[in-house]
C-alpha cells in the first residue's frame, strides 16, 4: 500500500498546480497564492491596483482611496479541463467597510478543493476490495484593516488562519503588511489617477502536518505593483496595471510578473486583457469582461496556460458596492 502521507503531499502539489500557482517542494497552503479577483486575474494577475472588489486579498488600500462605503464580493475559480480526479476549484467571499474617510476594515474567507483521489485498495480473501478516497481541501478565515497615515499614503495589515487537510492537517496564522501611495496627475486635457503599493504577504512560522514530521514553510511573498487610470473622455477610461511577486521560501522560490489593460465605457462595460510571466512554466495569457449597474457588478476572467502541461482557469465573480 502506498504511504498515505506521501500521496497526500503529491495530491497537494497536483491541486496547487491546477489552481495555476506554484507547487514547489517545501511550500504549502496554495489557496493563499491564488487570485480571487476576476478583474485583476484578467489583467495579467496583477496586484495592488485599483481594486473594485476583493480588496482584502488584492489591495486593502483601495477602499480607503475610493468613494464607496461598502464592498461585498464572491467568486469562484475553476481549473479546466477537469482531471480524472475532479475539477480543482477555489471559492472566496469578502466584505469591506469604510469607516469615515480614512479607515476601512475587511473580513473574508476562502476554500480550495474539488478533488477525490483513491489512496489505497485493500483486497479481501474473496477477491473483493475497498478503496479509501481522499478529498483534500484548504480553507482560510481572513481579517484586514487599513488607515490613512498622511495624504495619499495608506498603511494596511491583514491576518489569516489557514488550514490544509490532506488526511493529516496542518494550519497556522499568516500575516500581511503593506503601504500604498495614490495621487492625481493632470496630463493636460487628460486627468489621471496613479496608485502604487508594496506588500509583504503571508508571513508566519513554519508548520507540520499533525504537528509531527517534516516542517513546511508558509508561502511568504513580496508584491510590488500599481495601476494608472486615464480619463480619456467622460465616457471612456483606460487603466494600465503592472506588478511583480516573489515567493521567498528557501528551495521553493518563485517569481511572477504581470501587466494588463482595462477599457471602461461609462463605468458600465469593461474589457480587459493581460499577460503573466511565471517561472516554472507558469506564464499565461489572460482576458476578461465586466459589467456594472446600480452598484452590482459581474466579472469573468479566463487565463490560458502557455506551457504544454499547464491548465487553464475560469474565474467568475459577483459583487455589490455602494
Amino acid at each position: 500500500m502506498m504511504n498515505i502521507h506521501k500521496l497526500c503531499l503529491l495530491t497537494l502539489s497536483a491541486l496547487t498546480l491546477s489552481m495555476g500557482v506554484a507547487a514547489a517542494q517545501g511550500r504549502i497552503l496554495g489557496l493563499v497564492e491564488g487570485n480571487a479577483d476576476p478583474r485583476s486575474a484578467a489583467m495579467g494577475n496583477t496586484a495592488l491596483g485599483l481594486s473594485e472588489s476583493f480588496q482584502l486579498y488584492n489591495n486593502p488600500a483601495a477602499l480607503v482611496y475610493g468613494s464607496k462605503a461598502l464592498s461585498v464580493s464572491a467568486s469562484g475559480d475553476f481549473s479546466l479541463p477537469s482531471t480524472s480526479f475532479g475539477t480543482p476549484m477555489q471559492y472566496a467571499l469578502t466584505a469591506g467597510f469604510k469607516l469615515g474617510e480614512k479607515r476601512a476594515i475587511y473580513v473574508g474567507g476562502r476554500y480550495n478543493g474539488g478533488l477525490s483521489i483513491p489512496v489505497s485498495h485493500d483486497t479481501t480473501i474473496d477477491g473483493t476490495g475497498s478503496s479509501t478516497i481522499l478529498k483534500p481541501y484548504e480553507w482560510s478565515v481572513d481579517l484586514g484593516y487599513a488607515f490613512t497615515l498622511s495624504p495619499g499614503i495608506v498603511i494596511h495589515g491583514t491576518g489569516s488562519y489557514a488550514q490544509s487537510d490532506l488526511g493529516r492537517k496542518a494550519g497556522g496564522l499568516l500575516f500581511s503588511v503593506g503601504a500604498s501611495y495614490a495621487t492625481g496627475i493632470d496630463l493636460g486635457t487628460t486627468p489621471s489617477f496613479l496608485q502604487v503599493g508594496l506588500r509583504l504577504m503571508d508571513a508566519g512560522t513554519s508548520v507540520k502536518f499533525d504537528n509531527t514530521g517534516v516542517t513546511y514553510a508558509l508561502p511568504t511573498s513580496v508584491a510590488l505593483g500599481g495601476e494608472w487610470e486615464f480619463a480619456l473622455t467622460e465616457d471612456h477610461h483606460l487603466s494600465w496595471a503592472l506588478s511583480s511577486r516573489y515567493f521567498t521560501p528557501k528551495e521553493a522560490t518563485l517569481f511572477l510578473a504581470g501587466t494588463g489593460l482595462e477599457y471602461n465605457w461609462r463605468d458600465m462595460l469593461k474589457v480587459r486583457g493581460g499577460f503573466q510571466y511565471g517561472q516554472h512554466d507558469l506564464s499565461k495569457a489572460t482576458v476578461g469582461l465586466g459589467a456594472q449597474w446600480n452598484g452590482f457588478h459581474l466579472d469573468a476572467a479566463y487565463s490560458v496556460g502557455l506551457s504544454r502541461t499547464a491548465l487553464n482557469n475560469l474565474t467568475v465573480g459577483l459583487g455589490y458596492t455602494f
Side-chain angles (χ1 to χ4, degrees):
M1 182 183 302
M2 181 179 291
N3 182 288
I4 187 170
H5 183 48
K6 288 184 179 179
L7 187 53
C8 286
L9 297 180
L10 291 175
T11 300
L12 174 63
S13 296
L15 176 62
T16 307
L17 273 175
S18 298
M19 298 308 300
V21 293
Q25 182 180 0
R27 201 166 69 239
I28 65 168
L29 294 172
L31 90 166
V32 304
E33 303 185 34
N35 190 349
D37 180 17
R39 179 181 186 269
S40 60
M43 300 171 69
N45 275 308
T46 49
L48 296 167
L50 306 176
S51 300
E52 299 176 343
S53 56
F54 299 99
Q55 295 93 344
L56 174 61
Y57 302 126
N58 192 304
N59 182 10
L63 194 59
V64 179
Y65 289 129
S67 60
K68 306 298 184 180
L70 170 68
S71 174
V72 180
S73 308
S75 72
D77 182 275
F78 309 90
S79 292
L80 302 173
S82 297
T83 72
S84 58
F85 302 117
T87 301
M89 57 190 67
Q90 181 163 316
Y91 301 102
L93 176 65
T94 68
F97 307 88
K98 192 173 182 180
L99 306 175
E101 295 298 321
K102 297 184 177 181
R103 295 175 294 163
I105 58 174
Y106 301 94
V107 62
R110 291 168 287 186
Y111 175 85
N112 184 335
L115 299 182
S116 298
I117 301 177
V119 296
S120 66
H121 187 81
D122 299 321
T123 303
T124 62
I125 193 170
D126 61 0
T128 62
S130 61
S131 295
T132 298
I133 304 298
L134 176 67
K135 296 183 178 182
Y137 64 91
E138 298 177 337
W139 60 268
S140 74
V141 176
D142 315 284
L143 299 173
Y145 178 71
F147 66 94
T148 300
L149 180 66
S150 64
I153 299 178
V154 174
I155 305 298
H156 47 83
T158 64
S160 304
Y161 179 80
Q163 185 179 95
S164 178
D165 190 326
L166 306 172
R168 302 177 68 184
K169 297 180 181 180
L173 295 173
L174 300 85
F175 302 92
S176 302
V177 294
S180 294
Y181 174 74
T183 184
I185 302 176
D186 189 356
L187 302 175
T189 59
T190 304
S192 69
F193 184 76
L194 175 66
Q195 182 176 320
V196 295
L198 176 67
R199 192 179 186 191
L200 172 66
M201 303 177 65
D202 306 312
T205 58
S206 301
V207 298
K208 298 179 180 180
F209 281 91
D210 288 348
N211 294 318
T212 61
V214 179
T215 298
Y216 293 88
L218 297 179
T220 303
S221 63
V222 178
L224 173 65
E227 188 172 335
W228 200 354
E229 180 183 15
F230 303 85
L232 304 178
T233 68
E234 184 177 352
D235 293 339
H236 305 277
H237 288 218
L238 185 67
S239 297
W240 172 47
L242 177 68
S243 73
S244 62
R245 189 175 178 184
Y246 181 74
F247 292 88
T248 63
K250 185 178 180 182
E251 299 181 355
T253 59
L254 172 70
F255 177 75
L256 303 174
T259 188
L261 294 172
E262 176 189 74
Y263 166 72
N264 181 344
W265 180 71
R266 293 187 175 182
D267 206 27
M268 294 174 58
L269 297 177
K270 304 169 185 182
V271 179
R272 303 161 182 142
F275 172 78
Q276 173 188 279
Y277 164 77
Q279 290 181 310
H280 312 307
D281 294 326
L282 292 178
S283 295
K284 58 181 64 178
T286 63
V287 294
L289 296 171
Q292 185 167 307
W293 183 75
N294 279 357
F296 290 94
H297 55 89
L298 176 64
D299 300 278
Y302 192 75
S303 65
V304 180
L306 300 181
S307 68
R308 184 173 58 86
T309 59
L311 296 178
N312 304 328
N313 283 77
L314 172 67
T315 309
V316 293
L318 177 66
Y320 177 72
T321 59
F322 77 86

